[in-house]
């Protein structure tokens, strides 16, 4: 499969976002699309089964493992993210999803099964008691939800046969073949993610942290850069062997005693791993499309090629579209929206 150039792909997305034609009817790949009658048991339309590659193996070694959280408040975003991965994958049948849920919500499982009847996935219960006493209040309530911390415990929850996992947030869509990110050479690192060394790293921690020489010395010998934990490739075995979960928890415990940061689960990741990850191309996390964490003001795309669009920040595209006050970038998410009628999100 030949990837579409960014401008061509962006034009394609804008075209289908401003018409009443669904993304399925046009398609980006030339593979066959298989449909089954919709069961009508949820508010989500049934997604087609994509067959995009001419030769796709079924060996376990070729399987791509993707972990995501499942929450009814973000389910609409999760559905769009899953659809985008399958639509743009050369071999979507090789993808296995690992969903982490905190509270059993039967309607969520019904929606997943009816919307993606062909999906390979496993469910894992994340016990919120593991973090309830460790979470400190941050600048936005949504960041303080226990499920937001589940990514710290991936290595504990996933079965031994999963050696590598790609963690994805629920407020993103993939517009490229995910295998390109999956196959990144970690070069011995435990984690790979886009790295942003131009960002002001000091702002992720309080003055108390930087004024304490013992605390700030944790970055000695490293050149720490910001990375977003919403898109990460993780070597699960190396994470277990290195005891990274308790390392992150130690900083969370210290945060309860001293306020050394104001965000949620991101800063302890930075404290443990910033400056010691495998950096991948920025195209794999065009983040910040949801604006800042307080007001969620509209932002435009950054220059350069794009393989993944990420609405991190307060503003979520489905909420802004429903309010009929969308940002321009939200129309790039709309073609992947499976909620309601086929033209539900294209009525603007």
């Amino acid at each position: 499969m030949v990837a579409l150039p960014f401008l061509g792909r962006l034009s394609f997305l804008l075209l289908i976002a401003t018409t009443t034609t669904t993304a399925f009817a046009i398609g980006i790949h030339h593979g066959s699309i298989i449909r089954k009658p919709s069961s009508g048991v949820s508010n989500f339309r049934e997604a087609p089964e994509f067959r995009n590659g001419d030769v796709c193996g079924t060996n376990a070694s070729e399987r791509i493992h993707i972990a995501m959280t499942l929450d009814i408040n973000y389910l609409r975003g999760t559905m769009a993210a899953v659809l985008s991965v399958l639509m743009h994958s050369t071999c979507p049948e090789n993808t296995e999803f690992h969903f982490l849920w905190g509270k059993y919500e039967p309607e969520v499982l019904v929606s997943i099964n009816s919307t993606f009847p062909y999906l390979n996935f496993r469910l894992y219960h994340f016990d919120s008691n593991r973090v309830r006493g460790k979470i400190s209040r941050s600048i936005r309530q949504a960041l303080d939800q226990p499920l937001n911390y589940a990514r710290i415990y991936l290595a504990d929850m996933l079965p031994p046969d999963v050696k590598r996992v790609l963690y994805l947030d629920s407020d993103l869509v993939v517009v490229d073949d995910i295998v390109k990110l999956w196959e990144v050479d970690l070069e011995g690192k435990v984690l790979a993610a886009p790295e942003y060394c131009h960002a002001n790293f000091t702002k992720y921690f309080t003055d108390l942290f930087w004024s304490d020489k013992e605390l700030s010395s944790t970055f000695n010998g490293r050149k720490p850069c910001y990375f977003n934990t919403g898109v990460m490739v993780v070597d699960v075995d190396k994470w277990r062997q290195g005891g990274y979960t308790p390392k992150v928890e130690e900083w969370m415990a210290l945060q309860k005693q001293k306020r050394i940061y104001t965000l949620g689960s991101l800063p302890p990741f930075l404290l443990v791993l910033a400056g010691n990850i495998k950096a991948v191309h920025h195209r794999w996390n065009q983040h910040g499309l949801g604006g800042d964490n307080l007001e969620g003001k509209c932002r435009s795309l950054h220059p350069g090629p794009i393989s993944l669009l990420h609405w991190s920040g307060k503003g979520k595209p489905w909420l802004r579209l429903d309010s009929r006050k969308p940002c321009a970038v939200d129309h790039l998410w709309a073609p992947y929206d499976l909620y309601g009628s086929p033209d539900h999100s294209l009525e603007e």
Side-chain angles (χ1 to χ4, degrees):
M1 179 189 68
V2 179
L4 290 173
F6 167 64
L7 289 177
R9 189 163 60 237
L10 182 58
S11 299
F12 171 84
L13 289 170
L14 287 172
L15 173 64
I16 55 179
T18 53
T19 68
T20 57
T21 307
T22 66
F24 310 143
I26 299 175
I28 285 184
H29 300 289
H30 297 293
S32 60
I33 295 177
I34 306 169
R35 295 182 183 273
K36 285 179 66 178
S38 178
S39 61
V41 297
S42 75
N43 292 323
F44 293 92
R45 306 189 305 280
E46 182 180 317
E49 182 184 22
F50 296 94
R51 287 288 183 261
N52 303 324
D54 295 329
V55 180
C56 292
T58 57
N59 295 331
S61 61
E62 298 175 350
R63 185 154 292 183
I64 297 173
H65 296 279
I66 297 177
M68 302 182 71
T69 56
L70 267 186
D71 178 86
I72 196 164
N73 295 316
Y74 282 81
L75 183 59
R76 192 165 161 188
T78 302
M79 295 291 205
V82 171
L83 175 64
S84 71
V85 169
L86 300 177
M87 181 185 292
H88 295 283
S89 294
T90 301
C91 296
E93 57 267 51
N94 290 350
T95 304
E96 182 171 351
F97 287 86
H98 301 262
F99 293 122
L100 317 177
W101 56 274
K103 181 175 68 174
Y104 178 61
E105 296 163 312
E107 60 269 39
V108 172
L109 184 56
V110 169
S111 294
I112 291 288
N113 281 319
S114 61
T115 305
F116 298 103
Y118 312 95
L119 195 67
N120 296 318
F121 72 92
R122 306 187 213 180
L123 287 170
Y124 308 82
H125 176 234
F126 174 66
D127 185 358
S128 59
N129 290 323
R130 298 191 70 168
V131 294
R132 224 174 261 290
K134 302 180 178 72
I135 297 176
S136 301
R137 190 176 65 180
S138 64
I139 61 175
R140 186 160 62 91
Q141 186 177 5
L143 300 175
D144 301 337
Q145 300 307 307
L147 201 56
N148 196 43
Y149 290 79
R151 70 197 79 188
I152 299 170
Y153 301 91
L154 278 173
D156 298 339
M157 301 174 70
L158 296 176
D161 62 300
V162 178
K163 306 297 183 183
R164 171 184 290 214
V165 69
L166 171 57
Y167 179 85
L168 297 177
D169 270 349
S170 296
D171 52 359
L172 57 80
V173 291
V174 179
V175 294
D176 203 346
D177 193 342
I178 200 68
V179 73
K180 298 176 185 177
L181 178 59
W182 171 256
E183 292 181 342
V184 61
D185 184 357
L186 288 172
E187 298 179 358
K189 304 295 185 182
V190 69
L191 185 151
E195 202 173 43
Y196 301 89
C197 295
H198 63 278
N200 183 1
F201 190 79
T202 60
K203 72 177 183 179
Y204 294 100
F205 304 96
T206 63
D207 291 340
L208 174 63
F209 173 84
W210 292 114
S211 63
D212 189 314
K213 292 184 178 180
E214 183 178 355
L215 292 178
S216 59
S217 68
T218 188
F219 293 117
N220 289 352
R222 290 190 272 165
K223 293 182 179 179
C225 296
Y226 163 76
F227 66 92
N228 183 280
T229 55
V231 180
M232 304 183 292
V233 181
V234 182
D235 184 323
V236 181
D237 281 344
K238 193 174 290 293
W239 182 282
R240 294 189 188 108
Q241 295 164 8
Y244 283 92
T245 295
K247 289 178 181 178
V248 173
E249 287 181 323
E250 286 176 11
W251 285 109
M252 292 168 62
L254 183 60
Q255 166 74 352
K256 295 287 288 186
Q257 302 170 26
K258 303 178 180 180
R259 193 161 178 79
I260 58 176
Y261 52 80
T262 57
L263 289 175
S265 61
L266 168 64
F269 266 92
L270 297 179
L271 286 161
V272 174
L273 287 161
N276 193 28
I277 70 169
K278 166 64 178 178
V280 299
H281 199 284
H282 291 175
R283 69 187 304 153
W284 286 107
N285 197 349
Q286 173 88 213
H287 68 287
L289 301 184
D292 59 60
N293 277 303
L294 293 175
E295 298 181 0
K297 293 181 178 178
C298 291
R299 290 182 178 174
S300 56
L301 297 175
H302 305 299
I306 297 174
S307 293
L308 185 149
L309 297 154
H310 187 186
W311 278 260
S312 57
K314 184 179 180 181
K316 302 308 173 188
W318 55 91
L319 297 178
R320 295 195 295 213
L321 286 163
D322 285 354
S323 71
R324 297 187 179 276
K325 297 179 181 179
C327 296
V329 294
D330 298 340
H331 291 290
L332 299 175
W333 180 89
Y336 301 97
D337 187 11
L338 289 165
Y339 187 79
S341 61
D343 58 351
H344 171 82
S345 60
L346 307 177
E347 294 174 351
E348 304 300 327

